[in-house]
Amino acid sequence: MSGPGVPTFDQLQIFLAVVETGSFAGAARKLNRAVSVISYGVVNLEAQLAVALFEREGTKKPRLTEAGRALVADVRNIAQGVDGLRAKVKGMLDGLEAEVRLAVDVMVPPTRLASLLRAFSEKFPSVTLRLSVEALGAVASLVMDRRVVFGVSGPLPFGHDELVRIVVGSVELVPVAAPDHPLARLGTLPPGAGLDHIQLVLTDRSALTEGRDFGVLSRRTWRLADLGAKHALLREGIGWGNMPLAMVEADLASGALMRLAMPDFPGGTISLSAIYRRDAPPGPAASWLLQQFVACGAQDKAGFGDAEI
């Protein structure tokens, strides 16, 4: 016994139109076809698959058979896949990128980033996005090595004329520790109080700023590659460290973390810039996303916060 044949995409579209409208006449109106063409298409599809998809006898409207109900989801997935393929190819023919590779600094607030990327997915549904979240000089390294088309980076050393920089805001950093940490129990701290306590510091995974410390005061440091891990260790009282205010506001409000009154580092801001290579400017989709970062940064007069777009 031979297996099922290969249906055409047109036959699958006709099948879905009948399912969605509930009748051959409704499908004909939706697809701007004659009813006889719709009926013929369904018959041919059933012949190709060697199964009956609709019950026609004893009913005014076609009802799905058990086999038809089992296949609806698969047919819909195929149709959506083809539609996505056509949209992507059309975008490429119109000059739209097939893929955007982006790197952002860990200091970019996650809620803001998620909001921007949601808007991007709605604006460019056919464009694939690849996101890297990095610390310190790693974002710029990815841009310079052409592994991403643009990045949102924290402060960089002077130079690097091959990069275009556009300010997109800033992030406020505050020194914090768990309430049972010795520094938190002291209240107002004298200068140098943090020198002999473990400071949790982000590790630089790039050669661009390797060996450069930002806001490191202690002689004792633990180096971590992940801001989320640093946050968790701070809450456990293992050390003290500087964190983005937006990321720890809930902890400060609940008392899970305490803001440290450190005269040698009471807090501060770091600037964030969108960067890309002068010889490799972003395409239409990437440029739109870059401008959203710029616009959102301009909205936040007090810094790059968590406001929704």
Side-chain angles (χ1 to χ4, degrees), residues 25 29 71-72 75 86 141 184 204-205 239 258 267 283 290 298:
R29 287 191 296 271
L71 294 176
V72 168
V75 173
R86 294 174 64 187
S141 290
D204 193 344
R205 293 187 285 189
M258 302 289 290
L290 188 154

Side-chain angles (χ1 to χ4, degrees), residues 230-262:
K230 178 179 177 180
H231 187 193
L233 294 184
L234 286 168
R235 286 170 57 97
E236 289 296 320
I238 291 175
W240 70 274
N242 301 310
M243 289 290 290
L245 178 59
M247 191 171 183
V248 296
E249 276 184 319
D251 294 313
L252 295 175
S254 67
L257 288 174
M258 302 289 290
R259 184 167 180 170
L260 301 178
M262 304 184 73

Side-chain angles (χ1 to χ4, degrees), residues 3-60:
V6 180
T8 67
F9 182 58
D10 186 60
Q11 290 168 350
L12 299 180
Q13 284 184 309
I14 288 173
F15 170 69
L16 288 176
V18 174
V19 172
E20 291 166 2
T21 62
S23 69
F24 284 19
R29 287 191 296 271
K30 179 176 182 178
L31 299 178
N32 197 26
R33 309 276 189 90
V35 175
S36 59
V37 172
I38 299 299
S39 179
Y40 183 70
V42 170
V43 169
N44 283 342
L45 177 59
E46 290 176 324
Q48 285 288 344
L49 298 179
V51 294
L53 299 172
F54 295 101
E55 296 176 357
R56 298 174 178 80
E57 296 183 4
T59 178
K60 292 183 179 180

Side-chain angles (χ1 to χ4, degrees), residues 47-309:
Q48 285 288 344
L49 298 179
V51 294
L53 299 172
F54 295 101
E55 296 176 357
R56 298 174 178 80
E57 296 183 4
T59 178
K60 292 183 179 180
K61 291 188 175 182
R63 290 199 304 259
L64 285 169
T65 62
E66 184 177 347
R69 288 192 296 273
L71 294 176
V72 168
D74 291 325
V75 173
R76 187 169 285 117
N77 287 338
I78 292 170
Q80 290 173 347
V82 173
D83 288 341
L85 173 64
R86 294 174 64 187
K88 180 167 287 189
V89 172
K90 182 181 185 302
M92 293 169 65
L93 293 174
D94 293 341
L96 195 65
E97 310 95 313
E99 176 182 276
V100 168
R101 289 169 292 155
L102 165 70
V104 300
D105 194 282
V106 293
M107 296 297 177
V108 174
T111 53
R112 169 55 58 81
L113 179 61
S115 180
L116 287 169
L117 297 186
R118 182 186 67 239
F120 177 83
S121 70
E122 294 170 353
K123 180 75 173 179
F124 302 100
S126 68
V127 178
T128 299
L129 184 121
R130 298 189 183 276
L131 172 67
S132 298
V133 180
E134 302 288 346
L136 302 174
V139 172
S141 290
L142 290 174
V143 174
M144 293 175 66
D145 293 343
R146 303 177 191 274
R147 285 182 284 171
V148 299
V149 66
F150 84 93
V152 178
S153 173
L156 292 175
F158 292 107
H160 305 296
D161 292 336
E162 66 272 39
L163 295 180
V164 174
R165 305 188 196 190
I166 304 172
V167 175
V168 296
S170 60
V171 172
E172 183 177 358
L173 296 180
V174 294
V176 296
D180 60 350
H181 189 279
L183 291 177
R185 293 199 299 264
L186 287 176
T188 302
L189 302 173
L195 285 174
D196 296 319
H197 293 274
I198 294 172
Q199 183 177 357
L200 302 179
V201 180
L202 283 177
T203 298
D204 193 344
R205 293 187 285 189
S206 78
L208 190 62
T209 50
E210 185 177 8
R212 292 172 56 94
D213 282 332
F214 300 91
V216 177
L217 304 179
S218 178
R219 290 187 282 254
R220 304 170 61 197
T221 59
W222 281 21
R223 305 275 171 165
L224 302 96
D226 180 75
L227 188 62
K230 178 179 177 180
H231 187 193
L233 294 184
L234 286 168
R235 286 170 57 97
E236 289 296 320
I238 291 175
W240 70 274
N242 301 310
M243 289 290 290
L245 178 59
M247 191 171 183
V248 296
E249 276 184 319
D251 294 313
L252 295 175
S254 67
L257 288 174
M258 302 289 290
R259 184 167 180 170
L260 301 178
M262 304 184 73
D264 34 7
F265 189 84
T269 60
I270 61 169
S271 63
L272 293 172
S273 299
I275 58 173
Y276 60 87
R277 292 185 61 97
R278 293 185 186 277
D279 60 358
S287 293
W288 182 90
L289 183 56
L290 188 154
Q291 289 305 315
Q292 301 312 300
F293 276 103
V294 174
C296 289
Q299 285 179 16
D300 299 323
K301 296 180 180 179
F304 200 25
D306 280 334
E308 293 292 322
I309 64 172

